[in-house]
């Protein structure tokens, strides 16, 4: 009897937990098709907010900037992060513990501190704010996440596999390409997707390092929200969900395939 009550309570807790998480997202999607500009009242079904969104040059330009910054910063941080994670796992050198501790600083410090620090650095170096500073800043805060994810994947790595490959005549590059890389690939993909998400989602750091002529999609949405949440924002958020969900499914399939 007690066990059945516990199962009922656990099921109810799980149901309301998921309801709390996903009900706002469901309502956002539904009201992106609402004919009324007021989100609280349903007046009819329409696609006009999506049409208005695609005719909004400011939103399209911000989306293009965000995608370009996210792709470049994800590619750069994934490559640098993978090489760094492999090197820190395989080799022992002086100051490795200090470097390991420094990796956590960009993760644990508040984003506003990181943004101010990046702005101060660019000001000291007299670098004009723009796309270049946005990309550098995004690589900077994405890199530690990629390194930690790839290193976590390498914790279960068996060094004897590399030794066996090299005993059979493979050089260091072929060993990495055909032995090490396939094993740590799920970690690399997970790190890349995390970096992509962080880059697309960032507001605070981008606010400090974006120039007056450059804006990202989160900054554009933030400026739109300050004047009131319009159905265009709901439509934009729905489209972002349609982009993110397939990436999450692909990442999960890769993880299961290689686990």
């Amino acid at each position: 009897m007690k066990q059945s009550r516990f199962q009922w309570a656990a099921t109810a807790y799980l149901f309301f937990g998921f309801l709390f998480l996903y009900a706002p997202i469901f309502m956002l999607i539904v009201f992106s098709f609402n004919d009324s500009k007021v989100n609280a009242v349903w007046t009819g079904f329409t696609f006009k907010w999506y049409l208005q969104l695609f005719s909004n040059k400011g939103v399209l330009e911000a989306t293009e900037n965000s995608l370009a910054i996210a792709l470049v910063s994800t590619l750069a941080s994934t490559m640098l992060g993978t090489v760094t994670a492999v090197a820190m796992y395989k080799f022992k050198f002086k100051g490795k513990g200090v470097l390991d501790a420094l990796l956590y600083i960009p993760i644990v410090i508040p984003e506003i501190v990181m943004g101010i620090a990046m702005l101060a650095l660019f000001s000291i170096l007299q670098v004009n704010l723009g796309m270049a500073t946005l990309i550098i800043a995004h690589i900077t805060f994405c890199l530690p996440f990629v390194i930690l994810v790839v290193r976590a994947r390498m914790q279960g790595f068996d060094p004897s596999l590399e030794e066996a490959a090299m005993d059979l005549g493979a050089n260091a590059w072929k060993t990495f390409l055909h032995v090490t890389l396939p094993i740590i690939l799920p970690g690399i993909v997970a790190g890349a997707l995390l970096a992509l998400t962080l880059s697309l989602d960032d507001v605070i750091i981008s606010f400090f390092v974006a120039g007056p002529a450059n804006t990202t999609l989160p900054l554009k949405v933030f400026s739109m929200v300050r004047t009131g949440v319009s159905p265009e924002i709901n439509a934009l958020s729905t489209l972002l969900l349609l982009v993110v969900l397939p990436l999450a499914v692909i990442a999960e399939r890769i993880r299961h395939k290689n686990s």
Side-chain angles (χ1 to χ4, degrees):
M1 188 69 178
K2 289 183 178 180
Q3 187 175 2
S4 63
R5 287 182 179 178
F6 176 77
Q7 289 178 347
W8 182 87
T11 303
Y13 176 79
L14 187 64
F15 171 77
F16 285 109
F18 276 100
L19 182 66
F20 178 79
L21 287 174
Y22 291 103
I25 298 175
F26 177 75
M27 294 300 296
L28 180 145
I29 295 173
V30 170
F31 278 98
S32 70
F33 300 101
N34 186 17
D35 192 41
S36 173
K37 205 166 185 178
V38 181
N39 287 328
V41 181
W42 177 267
T43 59
F45 187 89
T46 183
F47 284 104
K48 70 179 182 181
W49 305 117
Y50 288 88
L51 297 176
Q52 288 186 17
L53 180 66
F54 285 113
S55 62
N56 191 326
K57 291 184 179 180
V59 172
L60 294 178
E61 184 180 347
T63 303
E64 184 179 340
N65 289 340
S66 284
L67 290 175
I69 293 167
L71 290 175
V72 173
S73 61
T74 298
L75 182 62
S77 61
T78 301
M79 293 175 63
L80 292 172
T82 301
V83 172
T84 305
V86 172
M88 291 187 67
Y89 178 78
K90 284 187 175 183
F91 304 110
K92 293 182 179 180
F93 51 88
K94 204 169 185 180
K96 181 179 178 181
V98 176
L99 182 61
D100 191 23
L102 289 175
L103 286 174
Y104 291 91
I105 293 179
I107 297 175
V108 299
I109 63 173
E111 283 193 348
I112 191 170
V113 176
M114 185 76 171
I116 294 172
M118 295 297 296
L119 177 61
L121 176 64
F122 293 137
S123 298
I124 293 172
L125 298 177
Q126 296 182 350
V127 178
N128 294 327
L129 299 180
M131 288 290 288
T133 55
L134 277 167
I135 291 173
I136 293 171
H138 281 225
I139 293 173
T140 302
F141 69 75
C142 288
L143 186 59
F145 290 94
V146 177
I147 294 173
L148 293 176
V149 171
V150 176
R151 279 185 62 188
R153 178 66 182 180
M154 293 199 69
Q155 292 302 319
F157 182 75
D158 187 1
S160 62
L161 296 174
E162 288 184 330
E163 295 172 3
M166 299 190 78
D167 287 340
L168 293 173
N171 56 31
W173 171 246
K174 286 186 176 180
T175 301
F176 174 78
L177 195 63
H178 297 288
V179 178
T180 309
L181 186 61
I183 295 174
I184 65 175
L185 184 61
I188 296 173
V189 173
L193 289 175
L194 180 59
L196 180 67
T197 305
L198 289 170
S199 179
L200 287 173
D201 188 53
D202 183 72
V203 176
I204 299 176
I205 297 175
S206 298
F207 175 78
F208 284 98
V209 299
N214 301 100
T215 186
T216 62
L217 187 59
L219 291 176
K220 183 67 177 178
V221 172
F222 181 69
S223 65
M224 293 169 68
V225 168
R226 283 190 287 183
T227 59
V229 180
S230 70
E232 282 186 45
I233 297 177
N234 295 341
L236 178 60
S237 302
T238 303
L239 292 176
L240 288 175
L241 285 173
L242 291 177
V243 173
V244 171
L245 286 178
L247 291 176
V249 172
I250 293 170
E252 191 66 16
R253 286 191 175 184
I254 292 174
R255 189 179 70 84
H256 280 293
K257 184 178 179 181
N258 292 274
S259 60

